Amino acid sequence: MAARLGAQVTIVDRDGLGGAAVLTDCVPSKALIATADYMSEFETAADLGLHLEDAAGEDVTDASANLAEINARVMGLAGQQSEDITHRLEADGVRIIRGSGRLVSPTRVVAISSDGEEEVLDTDVVLVATGATPRVMPTMEPDGERILTWQQIYDLKSLPEHLIVVGSGVTGAELAQGFLGLGAKVTLVSSRERVLPAEDQDAAEVIENVFRARGMTVLGRSRAAGARNTGDGVIVKLEDGREIEGSHVLVAVGAVPQTRGIGLEDIGVDLLESGHIVVDKVSRTSVRGVYAAGDCTGVFALASVSAMQGRIAMSHALGDAVAPLRLGAVSANVFTDPEIATVGLQQKDAEGVTTIDQVMMPLAMNPRAKMLGISEGFVKMFCSKGSGIVLGGVIVAPRASELIFPIALAVQNRLSVDQVADTFTVYPSLSGTVAEAARRLHQIAE
Ligand SMILES: Cc1cc2nc3c(=O)[nH]c(=O)nc-3n(C[C@H](O)[C@H](O)[C@H](O)COP(=O)(O)OP(=O)(O)OC[C@H]3O[C@@H](n4cnc5c(N)ncnc54)[C@H](O)[C@@H]3O)c2cc1C
């Protein structure tokens, strides 16, 4: 974008264009989960009257996942996307230096290329977008063989017999269900009472019930103290003394920003104790001319928000029209099955607020859901009492990430529940429940 606005741009990047989002985090995890979703279809096919038969005419109920093939495809996709990004940037005239960057002043970056050459880059503007890396606990040091971070699972050549997932936040929950869907035995260790503690609690309850119904062992209120590779397996020790034996453990206990040792503090950039860079709504740091975007700021750890912060920073720095970051309209999705999609104001914000109305419509009553064999899930919508302006929503459904868009449009453009309700939906369609939720809110607001 900065190049298209006329700036001369150099990117210094260590691990590959597209960053962790493309190479190790979003893209590979979502590709692996898409494969697991296909596997799950086999399990429910019989409910729709479909039977796969072997040559002898016997019902086939099991499909098997070849993790080496799946991982090869997933990593191929990630590599291809990184290459596409590289070509697009080169076509826009961006210079790319493969290596590490360090700020020595607000207008000077030292780049050390992968072959060890040092180059001094003088600049008017710096954008720091160094991302974050998996949090490592000293008692559960990843070894890349049996004790794994989410970035190491793509090196596995065969499906873990019994995967223990430590951490039930978004990454832990998504990958636990992904591996369960591929056929691994999975135990999810959650330090909180319920999985996905930061999500809408009605949504998290649906997901936890689905996890258990599909055979995952979910250990709530169980904090892992350490993990040990025994050579042919792992033992995860819980703080209460229990021990769980498995073949592998995936540690998904959060991420830490990559902001230390790159000169930020030396030039006066304010960091939080957590290491995140302090930024304002147009991505400015405390030092003039130095901007920051993405997970290194800790504003909202999403690829979409990171990209928006970067675009805003460049518009601001180059004097283009700029609208400050609006977090109240961010759409996010948890790629479990069913998915949880959210936008804008959430239940925890509405709790005890008398000026907000809300409704929750189960999907099970929707005719399309019945046809598709969907029995779990719901649409929840929040609006401002009186004006009926849509403030936020939650959808739990297959492909909720696609279904949330009408609510996101309404939140972004301050549409009223009546405007949503009066919009035609296709019959039969899952989006019919979005319109129905809006209609119910009209009745409540009267
Ligand atoms: C498992 C998982 C799944 C996710 N799925 C989704 C999803 O589906 N949707 C979504 O919106 N978000 C998702 N996220 C979040 C998303 O991945 C991050 O928000 C996003 O990667 C942040 O982008 P970024 O540009 O800040 O950092 P990154 O993508 O981490 O990129 C940072 C880049 O900086 C480089 N770098 C670091 N230090 C230096 C240095 N000193 N010199 C040079 N280069 C350096 C790194 O090599 C890297 O290329 C997921 C996260 C995880 C962990």
Side-chain angles (χ1 to χ4, degrees):
M1 174 184 174
R4 286 184 191 156
L5 288 173
Q8 193 189 334
V9 181
T10 302
I11 294 182
V12 184
D13 187 81
R14 196 185 55 204
D15 299 329
L17 275 264
V22 169
L23 293 166
T24 53
D25 295 358
C26 313
V27 171
S29 66
K30 260 80 268 187
L32 183 128
I33 287 164
T35 311
D37 285 348
Y38 268 107
M39 287 278 290
S40 306
E41 303 282 321
F42 283 96
E43 286 168 28
T44 50
D47 299 343
L48 306 183
L50 295 177
H51 298 275
L52 295 172
E53 291 176 355
D54 63 15
E58 296 293 321
D59 267 11
V60 176
T61 49
D62 287 337
S64 68
N66 182 321
L67 195 62
E69 280 176 30
I70 292 169
N71 278 344
R73 172 177 175 268
V74 161
M75 292 322 279
L77 275 176
Q80 186 58 57
Q81 195 165 336
S82 178
E83 266 179 43
D84 290 349
I85 293 170
T86 307
H87 291 149
R88 245 187 5 242
L89 287 166
E90 284 171 347
D92 282 338
V94 174
R95 182 176 170 221
I96 298 165
I97 299 176
R98 298 194 188 268
S100 291
R102 186 167 47 85
L103 284 103
V104 291
S105 86
T107 56
R108 180 167 283 184
V109 172
V110 173
I112 303 182
S113 70
S114 37
D115 47 21
E117 264 182 47
E118 187 173 299
E119 186 177 346
V120 175
L121 303 162
D122 286 313
T123 173
D124 304 311
V125 171
V126 177
L127 175 67
V128 182
T130 46
T133 187
R135 187 155 83 89
V136 170
M137 293 167 66
T139 54
M140 276 187 260
E141 286 263 8
D143 59 18
E145 284 181 10
R146 291 189 179 276
I147 305 178
L148 308 166
T149 68
W150 62 76
Q151 301 188 331
Q152 295 170 329
I153 55 177
Y154 307 102
D155 294 329
L156 289 175
K157 297 286 178 265
S158 57
L159 200 61
E161 273 166 44
H162 179 187
L163 179 68
I164 302 168
V165 179
V166 175
S168 67
V170 176
T171 299
E174 286 184 350
L175 290 171
Q177 199 182 24
F179 277 93
L180 185 80
L182 292 176
K185 179 179 172 192
V186 174
T187 299
L188 180 58
V189 180
S190 171
S191 61
R192 310 292 278 272
E193 186 162 345
R194 193 178 296 300
V195 302
L196 294 166
E199 299 301 317
D200 178 275
Q201 285 305 286
D202 294 314
E205 188 181 337
V206 171
I207 299 304
E208 186 166 327
N209 290 341
V210 169
F211 282 1
R212 292 185 195 276
R214 294 198 190 159
M216 189 189 299
T217 303
V218 181
L219 302 177
R221 289 206 205 136
S222 301
R223 193 174 281 276
R228 188 159 52 85
N229 181 341
T230 59
D232 56 0
V234 287
I235 295 179
V236 173
K237 194 164 180 163
L238 305 185
E239 277 185 357
D240 61 14
R242 277 177 294 164
E243 290 191 337
I244 312 158
E245 287 183 36
S247 62
H248 297 76
V249 57
L250 166 62
V251 185
V253 291
V256 286
Q258 306 194 93
T259 52
R260 305 286 185 197
I262 54 172
L264 291 169
E265 292 119 309
D266 303 336
I267 66 162
V269 172
D270 286 346
L271 302 184
L272 298 174
E273 209 176 303
S274 60
H276 291 107
I277 302 170
V278 179
V279 284
D280 65 10
K281 285 188 164 34
V282 289
S283 311
R284 281 180 296 196
T285 69
S286 53
V287 172
R288 197 181 161 83
V290 179
Y291 293 76
D295 286 9
C296 64
T297 67
V299 167
F300 207 141
L302 281 180
S304 50
V305 176
S306 307
M308 182 66 83
Q309 284 180 290
R311 284 193 291 269
I312 289 173
M314 291 301 94
S315 298
H316 188 272
L318 299 169
D320 199 21
V322 59
L325 185 67
R326 269 185 67 194
L327 288 179
V330 173
S331 300
N333 195 61
V334 183
F335 287 82
T336 41
D337 174 23
E339 298 178 354
I340 305 174
T342 49
V343 64
L345 181 131
Q346 294 296 295
Q347 186 84 54
K348 57 183 182 316
D349 312 310
E351 226 63 78
V353 183
T354 52
T355 52
I356 293 172
D357 270 337
Q358 62 172 288
V359 71
M360 182 166 136
M361 301 285 302
L363 268 188
M365 286 149 64
N366 178 296
R368 188 82 194 279
K370 288 178 188 152
M371 294 167 200
L372 293 167
I374 298 169
S375 53
E376 297 107 358
F378 60 79
V379 172
K380 205 184 250 195
M381 202 184 279
F382 303 93
C383 76
S384 179
K385 206 188 262 299
S387 71
I389 299 292
V390 180
L391 301 173
V394 184
I395 298 185
V396 178
R399 304 273 186 275
S401 47
E402 312 288 349
L403 267 181
I404 196 75
F405 189 59
I407 306 185
L409 262 182
V411 172
Q412 172 75 19
N413 295 292
R414 300 185 54 76
L415 302 185
S416 71
V417 287
D418 289 350
Q419 286 172 303
V420 176
D422 292 345
T423 305
F424 276 106
T425 56
V426 168
Y427 180 85
S429 68
L430 297 184
S431 51
T433 301
V434 175
E436 182 59 22
R439 271 193 286 280
R440 296 289 171 106
L441 278 172
H442 173 74
Q443 290 166 18
I444 292 169
E446 268 180 342

